[in-house]
Amino acid sequence: MEFGWAPEQEQYRERVKAALDELLPADWDETYVPESYASDLQVHFSREFCAKLAERGLLVPHWPREYGGNESPDWEHFILGEEMKGAGEPRGPQYMNVNWIGPTLMAYGSEAQKDQHVKGIASGKVIWCQGFSEPNAGTDLAALRTRAERDGDHYVVNGSKIWTSYARTADWCFLLARTGPTRKDISILLVPMDTPGISITSFPGVIKDGHLNEVFFTDVRVPVQNRVGEEGEAWKIVTYALSYERVGVPRYHTGLLALELAVEQLKAEGRWDDDPIVRSRAGSIAARFEGARLLTYRVIDQRVHRLPATTDANLSRIASLEAVSDLMNFLGEFVPDCLAGGDPLLEDYYRINIPAGITGGTNEIQLDLVAQRGLGLPRG
Ligand SMILES: Cc1cc2nc3c(=O)[nH]c(=O)nc-3n(C[C@H](O)[C@H](O)[C@H](O)COP(=O)(O)OP(=O)(O)OC[C@H]3O[C@@H](n4cnc5c(N)ncnc54)[C@H](O)[C@@H]3O)c2cc1C
């Protein structure tokens, strides 16, 4: 398949690059990128940065006008995502809002929720976190135990969430909680993070400090009007939300940039020209990323043509994750100093991608979905 960008799409990319040149501080790569996405420095920056993007129509260009967008083609949003990711994702946690929380609320939120939250997200000033996983409920989310019990016009929430990225800096949590006895009785609540009864403990991980948190809910009162959709309707809504998230991150873009940095380093050290194995491995990784790119573009094209979601989204994610895994092995073998005082951008890439096959749904589960829904194979 021959893929090329239309002239107006190239122009759009140039516009995004010009905005990045103008809005990123001169020491962005040296000072900000090496910090965790969830560090106070980056989150504070990303709030200001996103508000400026919003003013320029570059935060949610593809959204409907009534919600602060410009109804521009989905491709433009994707080009925007590639350039932001390539620059070290200065939108910080806002990619979640823009990619799936906003669209999900547009589809399933009440008028009041749309008015408050979708517009808030479009302004770039609000930060959200995703309260799904629990200590014994990750892949098997239906096993979650955080409860929300009705008490008049409120729910009272008790339980805990784990791995909640950005919890310390988020204004709101998109929370999954059990509202009845069966596995299906799960609902979505929009919870202000400053509600009394919420406490947060950060824990260290391969991604730098501040990113990973445990969030505890003790008798947290949440108004019933903060529920999204009907009680017990969470699965339908989450399935919709995750179909947006799966292709949300253009991993091939950052992967190819990291590969380029590694190749530059290998050349500078004189280990490129003389080693055909290094060159062939790098070539095959680049080819895998290009394959992942085309699969992702196919999914975007389906979306642009308003076709129903298919397992192509899972396939594009699997292809990206497999290319990332090859690159991680390559870095570990040939550029091991990327984790010990080498290039900070490569170190950042390496750390963020150690759990790449886990975050947002593991690779094994993606493969299962392709087998069952795409190929019609029976459940194993
Ligand atoms: C860096 C990072 C950030 C995260 N951020 C968030 C966040 O902001 N909010 C949030 O809610 N969660 C977050 N998560 C949690 C993430 O969604 C879970 O880690 C993920 O869903 C896997 O769940 P688990 O860790 O409980 O692993 P498990 O579900 O216990 O899985 C362990 C292994 O078993 C395999 N496995 C499990 N069940 C099956 C099956 N049926 N068939 C085949 N294989 C299976 C899995 O593929 C995996 O390899 C984050 C995780 C990480 C690492």
Side-chain angles (χ1 to χ4, degrees):
M1 175 170 74
E2 193 67 40
F3 182 89
W5 296 104
E8 60 274 20
Q9 291 167 335
E10 298 279 16
Q11 278 165 15
Y12 185 77
R13 191 180 291 279
E14 289 312 312
R15 194 180 143 211
V16 176
K17 284 184 177 166
L20 279 166
D21 279 349
E22 196 189 322
L23 297 176
L24 291 185
D27 61 343
W28 169 252
D29 282 350
E30 295 76 35
T31 310
Y32 290 78
V33 173
E35 291 284 318
S36 148
Y37 280 178
S39 64
D40 291 345
L41 181 71
Q42 274 224 21
V43 173
H44 178 70
F45 175 79
S46 96
R47 272 189 211 261
E48 290 181 355
F49 176 77
C50 286
K52 288 181 192 156
L53 280 186
E55 279 163 21
R56 282 156 207 242
L58 287 175
L59 189 64
V60 289
H62 56 311
W63 281 14
R65 286 202 174 81
E66 60 176 313
Y67 296 123
N70 201 22
E71 293 178 13
S72 58
D74 283 8
W75 282 111
E76 291 191 356
H77 171 59
F78 212 71
I79 290 169
L80 184 80
E82 286 187 344
E83 292 304 321
M84 292 292 153
K85 204 75 193 154
E89 193 47 281
R91 292 174 301 177
Q94 301 266 355
Y95 73 90
M96 274 195 289
N97 312 353
V98 169
N99 285 353
W100 65 267
I101 296 180
T104 303
L105 292 178
M106 275 182 230
Y108 291 100
S110 65
E111 286 312 310
Q113 287 165 354
K114 288 181 199 170
D115 206 46
Q116 178 178 8
H117 297 302
V118 180
K119 287 186 181 159
I121 290 173
S123 77
K125 293 177 184 155
V126 188
I127 290 179
W128 285 75
C129 62
Q130 171 187 341
F132 289 9
S133 305
E134 295 186 6
N136 292 308
T139 301
D140 184 15
L141 262 184
L144 65 84
R145 294 163 74 169
T146 295
R147 289 186 330 277
E149 282 166 356
R150 266 306 267 274
D151 178 22
D153 55 2
H154 280 73
Y155 285 101
V156 180
V157 181
N158 281 286
S160 71
K161 296 286 166 182
I162 196 166
W163 304 110
T164 322
S165 311
Y166 312 109
R168 284 185 319 123
T169 36
D171 306 294
W172 287 84
C173 179
F174 195 94
L175 181 77
L176 289 189
R178 179 164 300 293
T179 41
T182 74
R183 276 172 68 85
K184 289 199 164 169
D185 287 323
I186 295 175
S187 304
I188 296 172
L189 299 179
L190 308 178
V191 184
M193 288 299 281
D194 59 0
T195 313
I198 297 182
S199 64
I200 301 164
T201 310
S202 300
F203 57 91
V206 284
I207 304 184
K208 295 168 195 164
D209 291 352
H211 195 95
L212 298 174
N213 308 284
E214 218 167 342
V215 184
F216 300 91
F217 297 82
T218 310
D219 294 333
V220 173
R221 293 184 71 79
V222 182
V224 170
Q225 73 244 28
N226 287 22
R227 189 188 66 222
V228 182
E230 295 303 318
E231 209 173 83
E233 215 184 16
W235 287 138
K236 184 173 87 185
I237 301 174
V238 167
T239 306
Y240 178 86
L242 293 184
S243 75
Y244 272 84
E245 198 195 20
R246 250 163 228 140
V247 285
V249 183
R251 290 178 195 274
Y252 48 82
H253 201 69
T254 36
L256 286 167
L257 291 174
L259 181 64
E260 225 170 85
L261 286 176
V263 168
E264 267 169 34
Q265 183 170 332
L266 288 164
K267 282 183 179 166
E269 291 167 358
R271 292 159 60 208
W272 176 257
D273 289 334
D274 298 338
D275 194 336
I277 292 179
V278 172
R279 293 202 305 276
S280 130
R281 288 269 298 277
S284 90
I285 294 166
R288 288 200 110 172
F289 274 122
E290 287 302 340
R293 179 202 297 276
L294 291 179
L295 281 170
T296 306
Y297 287 172
R298 184 159 77 185
V299 178
I300 304 301
D301 191 54
Q302 290 166 354
R303 209 172 269 175
V304 168
H305 289 96
R306 304 283 173 251
L307 296 171
T310 66
T311 47
D312 283 351
N314 306 90
L315 275 177
S316 81
R317 186 178 158 91
I318 293 164
S320 287
L321 288 172
E322 288 185 347
V324 168
S325 165
D326 277 3
L327 176 55
M328 297 290 279
N329 289 336
F330 179 83
L331 292 175
E333 230 171 296
F334 300 111
V335 196
D337 75 348
C338 69
L339 258 183
D343 186 322
L345 293 178
L346 269 186
E347 175 177 344
D348 197 43
Y349 180 84
Y350 198 93
R351 283 180 181 277
I352 286 173
N353 282 289
I354 289 174
I358 298 173
T359 46
T362 66
N363 221 18
E364 289 81 3
I365 298 304
Q366 303 298 326
L367 287 165
D368 267 358
L369 291 172
V370 172
Q372 286 161 29
R373 294 187 193 161
L375 302 174
L377 296 175
R379 283 178 80 92

